[in-house]
Amino acid sequence: MNRGFRSFHPFVSFFYYVGAAALVMLNKHPVFLFIGGIILICFNIALDRGKTLKKWWRTLVILSLFFLIVNPLINHRGTHILFYFGQNPIMLEAIIQGIILALSLFCLMVLFSSYNLVITADKFLYLFSKWLPQWALLTMISMRFVPLLRRRLKEIQTIQRGKGLSVNSGTMKERAKNGIQLVQILLTWSLEEALQTADSMAGRGYGLRKRSRYIPFKMKRKDWLAIIYMAIVGSISIFGWWLGDGVLSINPILEPIFLEGREWFYLFIFILFLGFPLGIEEREALRWHYWKRKI
Amino acid sequence: MALLEAKNIIFQYPDQARKALDQVSFRAEQGEFIVLCGPSGSGKSTLLRLLKKEIAPHGNVSGRLLLQNQPLSQFSSEQLAQTIGMVFQDPENQIVMDQVMEELVFGLENIGMPTEEMRKKVAEMIHFFGLEHLLHKRTHELSGGQKQLLNLASVILMEPQILLLDEPTAQLDPVAAKDFIGMLHRMNEEFGVTVIIAEHRLEELFALADRVIVLEQGRKTHDGPPRKIIEEIGNPSNNMYSYLPGSAVLYLEHTHAVREEEIPLTIKEGKRWIGNLTIETKQQMKVKFPMSNPLIKMREIDFQYDRNQKKVLDDLSMEVYSEEWLAIVGANGTGKSTLLRIMAGLQKPQHGTITYRGKKVKGPLPIEIGYLPQNPKLFFLQDTILLELTEIARKQKLNDPDGKIIKILEAFDLIELKDRHPYDVSGGEVQKAALAGVMLSNPSILLIDEPTKGLDPEAKMKLGQLLKSLQKDGLTIVMVTHDIEFAAQYATRCAMMFQGNITVTDSPDKFFRGNTFYTTVINRITRGSHVPDVLTVEEARKVWHVLGTS
């Protein structure tokens, strides 16, 4: 599917992910992170109805809970003692810090689960090829070779099983010997076939001069606008962090968790940045909705 | 002015006494469609590769190659890479990239074309080839025929003036091969691309070609328009006789005064010629094959590779009778090869039973079953054919291994090749060597997958005769094939596979007579006409007695 946020230039998407990851790591404030988490979950749902999250949610929750529990157990700095766990004092500060840590990690993981949906392998390769064109070509060729070799090995295995040569039965030594023979024939065969690939490359003029690169993506007006928008909002948000508005100070004095004054403004800015792709997706969905109603 | 001209080309591979090409000269005019034919090893590939500088073989060359009356060496490599395009035999190995789009523009990127221009070219060419629906696929998801069309398209995108093709349809099934040849013909007609194609499957090409060049042992023996060539080599004593299209052979054998312009090249022309004939039936040859003793019985077999994929075999039941030669035909992807693998015990069906000689089989099948895969190269693990046979004999614990090996090498005419690496011999030879490996343990049933793929007509005939003699000695053969002519000529029973099931089984006689498309060229010419319909040239020889033309 190539609509909504995914229709933007890969560079725009990449810029968003770098910015979002930075903001999520910098703004160490439970309210910021909690709202950020919700936005990112919604974005995931908007992209693929939460399929990826469903696959990963167990890991996400367990990892986050782990940090949530471990931090209070090992961190004893602070002034508010809540209770004693055995000999250890459990501090309010440590619990809040655990929550921040867990939320921050949670947000990062949710962010990356949408990363694979937005920046697909070919988009990544495109970004990558800007700086290292030779390596990108090599990567693309090897991307074909890995599954190819696997298919070939399977084919050889099946055929050799017909001759009574198997890696699944017999003594350890026999199996190892058979396995080596299979790999050996895979390599001989593949090298032989690769000669033909080399001929076909040479036949189409490979290596005669500097290659140009087919560019499947073009920076359009909306891509530039998105970059400008994200640059402005992102800078303001980082300025807010620098002022200390996006961070809950814990030591030496615990700041109240509830937001006050300027912090509201910076929360709004934070939402504007993180929620940018979600907004795009929702606008797209609404457009469809009204477009269908009009007919 | 000739577009391409070769003058007295002599070529010798290093360390080989024989000349691969000996005094070959020819001219190709702008827009000509030239078919290059000859047995494997006659120098067809060598000649084509010499014309394509980037991949020219190493060795001693003499003679002159001229492009537009100027020596090839005067052109820059980039000009040559663009002007002369080449498509090779194996559809898979020519593909470099993972994505179809990237593969298409690979050549254009190599010559440094800007993106905008690539986009434009790809857009129009994709449309011409009808490949739109494949554009965003990955290359390994395509079928063999689609891969070969992609290869052709990515070469054509560079706008070559001359297109060289080295047996491009040898690995394709008949339908895909026809599509490919059809596309090639359009390319030639609409763009005026000069085509030089080396091929064994000449049935369709003779009708399209402007000229046919015959190479034998590195020498050019014939050169001229297709009908003239047919007249020249049209007598059974000629080595090249088996290369001629069926319709032409039928004409030559049943006409007293052969007239060049009358030789039918297509089914349409064949039908027209037949229309004027009066033919009497000499004798009805009826060979009834006894089908009493089922050797393998399969009942309600279901098979799928993956739970989420569709069934490859669906409620399939069939029998294989003792000492028969069963040919299984059908389109690509109908599960023919899978069926063979299940019979060989290499795949386990999810449902159904297999009985062998009346006994239910569980676990590995008895070693009385020999299986020869589609790619015989994968059969070999050792460095020489002899070593491979010795290893098989050791593994199967045969008594008197040396005697048996010598005997089989002699029977299969492999003595001279026994110390060669299996990858260094020709396609027909590697097939024979693998067959020898299978037959060494003396199985009572042979399962063989696409044995004629990529073989020249002569190698095909030899293989057919070899298998026939093995069958006469009591071997049961089950063969999966696309080669209808081969099945019609040799099999004793034919089965059609469709959507994971066997739909029809009958003797070749009745089986092919009932089909409109899945039948031999000869049958398509003769069916529905007033002459007795026949399947093969051999049958016509026996049954027909031509009284005269009306």
Side-chain angles (χ1 to χ4, degrees), chain B residues 19-34:
Chain B
K19 286 173 184 149
L21 289 173
D22 195 0
Q23 300 277 354
V24 175
S25 310
F26 74 94
R27 290 158 67 99
E29 307 293 337
Q30 177 79 46
E32 253 190 320
F33 195 116
I34 297 176

Side-chain angles (χ1 to χ4, degrees), chain A residues 161 163 185 197 200 211-212, chain B residues 110 113 346 379-380 388:
Chain A
R161 203 162 59 225
K163 278 171 63 191
I185 204 74
T197 312
S200 144
R211 300 184 83 225
S212 66
Chain B
N110 287 339
M113 188 180 276
L346 297 175
F379 187 82
F380 295 94
E388 183 68 40

